[in-house]
Amino acid sequence: MSTRNGYDFLNLERRAFLQGVFDCLPDKSTIKTKRQVNDIIESEDGIKVVLADGTEECGDIVVGCDGVNSIVRQALWANAEKTTPGHITSKGRGTLEITYSCLLGIAPTPVGLGTRDMTCVHEHGYSFLFLSQPDQIYFFVFSKLPKPIRWPDNRRWTEEDAEKVANGVKDHPVADSLLFGELWRTRIRGQLVSVEEGIFEHWHFGRMVLAGDAAHKVTPNFALGGNTGIESVTVLTNELHRLIQMTPNGRPNKQAITATFQRYQTQRLPRVRMAHFASWFITRLQAFDGIIMRCMAQWIVPLFVGDKMIAHALGYLVKDAPKLDFIPLESRKGTMGWNDEKLDSTSMQSRLKDSVTTMKAVIIKETGTAALADIKEQSMRPDYVRVK
């Protein structure tokens, strides 16, 4: 990636990433934690989030970045059914399917799996993925379930379930001199989770909009889940920025908000579908899911594709990534360049004009907590968004 896209590939825990983003916020007072959301009430003039402690947060829009079991998505569905019955069908709600589970965790870096490597181990019905760093290693064990699970059904896995999966693969070699069981015994933490897959048909309704796993969920084998979510938030932010610039009084009406949300979904859908298919394919390829996948994994990919071609394909996927287009950025250059930098420079300069319009937005965090943020449309210092 460094050669093709100008940036290195970095592995880090979600909590470390969130801490880095939080540390760079110029104003942390708007972030409110431990605030369970009880209800979301929408009106023609605004939207209100009712919290479990009795307090309320009011704004113009609600952005649901609250994960695969999204509270905002449930409220969005309920509001759509109340105001436009039949708009979101049961088929549209039952998008998510669970075909695989994943035993994931962190352990001290063992001998045999490198210190800056990605290692994939294929097997019939399951696969291993290891992402190593000098001080610790991230491990994933993907196992195909006997039968797919579809919404509204779900599965909550216990520590006993995790131990059962680990015991089932403990004797499998994951390096020349390392068994998985040895790695599992030294784990810092580990758990078994469901691996949902699916792209919802409706990402918005009224003043509510979804992003990340709340709208589109992929398997993590190709590392596109969190990255795809970040891209969606980026595109949504760009669209909201343009909307506010075009609104003289700073308070876009409901129709303008709906049109903005639809542009966001339309722009994101083709790329999300690509990420979904790539993740779907890699997950099944690595687990020898059927005779065709096994033949491809054991013979076709090693003989006719190779690591360089896979890296090149990933580079092409990365170079199409969006960025915040109202913040000056001197991006690093690789051999592939960046597609959005082919835009006319005059057009880009017009997007960087200062704006003093402020819009209230209620953002629902993945933990089910709420934060009230002022989206100030003005020239922003790049270090505000830099992750340390």
Side-chain angles (χ1 to χ4, degrees):
M1 285 188 64
S2 178
T3 300
R4 294 172 174 83
N5 304 110
Y7 292 88
D8 290 325
F9 190 91
L10 178 65
N11 300 315
L12 74 165
E13 285 186 271
R14 180 181 298 232
R15 66 178 71 184
F17 173 76
L18 293 176
Q19 186 65 55
V21 173
F22 178 78
D23 290 342
C24 290
L25 289 175
D27 180 9
K28 299 177 176 58
S29 64
T30 57
I31 305 300
K32 301 181 181 181
T33 61
K34 299 180 181 178
R35 303 288 183 92
Q36 181 66 37
V37 176
N38 275 3
D39 197 9
I40 302 176
I41 303 171
E42 182 175 338
S43 67
E44 191 64 28
D45 297 327
I47 194 163
K48 177 171 63 177
V49 177
V50 182
L51 307 176
D53 62 0
T55 60
E56 298 176 351
E57 299 287 357
C58 299
D60 289 315
I61 64 172
V62 167
V63 182
C65 306
D66 50 339
V68 70
N69 298 309
S70 171
I71 295 173
V72 177
R73 191 175 64 233
Q74 294 289 340
L76 186 154
W77 287 349
N79 187 49
E81 185 61 27
K82 180 172 63 177
T83 58
T84 314
H87 177 69
I88 301 177
T89 64
S90 58
K91 181 180 179 181
R93 299 184 186 195
T95 297
L96 292 181
E97 181 173 275
I98 304 170
T99 306
Y100 285 81
S101 67
C102 180
L103 181 68
L104 55 87
I106 303 172
T109 303
V111 176
L113 287 173
T115 57
R116 299 182 185 278
D117 300 330
M118 180 177 71
T119 304
C120 300
V121 181
H122 302 229
E123 191 48 81
H124 182 68
Y126 61 94
S127 66
F128 299 89
L129 174 64
F130 303 98
L131 303 172
S132 61
Q133 292 184 342
D135 57 341
Q136 61 188 16
I137 189 169
Y138 303 90
F139 63 83
F140 307 82
V141 184
F142 301 95
S143 303
K144 188 174 182 180
L145 301 178
K147 183 180 179 180
I149 302 172
R150 293 192 67 89
W151 181 90
D153 295 332
N154 203 341
R155 176 70 187 271
R156 296 294 182 183
W157 306 96
T158 64
E159 291 185 10
E160 290 75 17
D161 293 326
E163 287 289 351
K164 184 178 179 180
V165 172
N167 287 332
V169 297
K170 66 179 181 179
D171 296 325
H172 196 291
V174 294
D176 291 339
S177 58
L178 181 68
L179 302 177
F180 177 75
E182 298 176 273
L183 184 65
W184 176 254
R185 283 195 297 271
T186 65
R187 71 190 182 278
I188 299 170
R189 54 182 167 272
Q191 65 181 118
L192 185 66
V193 299
S194 296
V195 180
E196 301 90 349
E197 299 175 84
I199 303 172
F200 286 97
E201 182 180 356
H202 299 278
W203 296 8
H204 66 91
F205 189 86
R207 294 179 177 270
M208 286 179 268
V209 64
L210 308 174
D213 288 354
H216 44 76
K217 182 69 168 64
V218 304
T219 60
N221 298 61
F222 216 16
L224 297 180
N227 287 302
T228 302
I230 292 171
E231 287 189 7
S232 288
V233 172
T234 299
V235 172
L236 177 59
T237 302
N238 287 338
E239 290 296 336
L240 290 173
H241 177 268
R242 281 189 279 275
L243 172 65
I244 294 172
Q245 284 188 315
M246 294 186 297
T247 307
N249 63 3
R251 291 292 304 274
N253 60 36
K254 195 171 182 179
Q255 291 73 26
I257 289 172
T258 297
T260 297
F261 288 166
Q262 185 56 49
R263 285 195 302 272
Y264 147 70
Q265 179 173 344
T266 300
Q267 183 177 341
R268 285 294 296 149
L269 200 52
R271 188 164 168 82
V272 167
R273 285 172 175 163
M274 184 190 308
H276 181 272
F277 174 77
S279 302
W280 178 95
F281 179 80
I282 290 295
T283 299
R284 285 150 181 82
L285 184 76
Q286 293 175 344
F288 295 162
D289 194 347
I291 186 64
I292 295 177
M293 290 295 183
R294 181 161 191 165
C295 289
M296 292 188 68
Q298 290 188 309
W299 294 290
I300 296 175
V301 173
L303 292 176
F304 302 103
V305 179
D307 293 341
K308 287 186 177 181
M309 188 173 292
I310 293 175
H312 208 62
L314 182 59
Y316 267 104
L317 186 66
V318 170
K319 78 183 183 71
D320 289 333
K323 66 174 182 288
L324 295 174
D325 58 15
F326 54 90
I327 298 178
L329 174 66
E330 292 184 7
S331 59
R332 301 176 189 174
K333 300 295 190 295
T335 57
M336 290 185 170
W338 300 98
N339 278 5
D340 60 0
E341 293 184 356
K342 298 176 182 178
L343 292 173
D344 179 74
S345 59
T346 302
S347 174
M348 286 297 294
Q349 287 298 321
S350 67
R351 294 185 181 185
L352 298 175
K353 288 183 178 179
D354 290 351
S355 172
V356 294
T357 311
T358 300
M359 180 178 182
K360 295 288 187 179
V362 180
I363 304 174
I364 307 303
K365 298 292 185 179
E366 184 153 357
T367 56
T369 60
L372 184 66
D374 288 336
I375 303 179
K376 297 184 184 299
E377 298 307 314
Q378 56 188 358
S379 291
M380 299 175 62
R381 285 167 40 197
D383 57 310
Y384 283 1
V385 293
R386 185 181 67 245
V387 178
K388 296 180 180 178

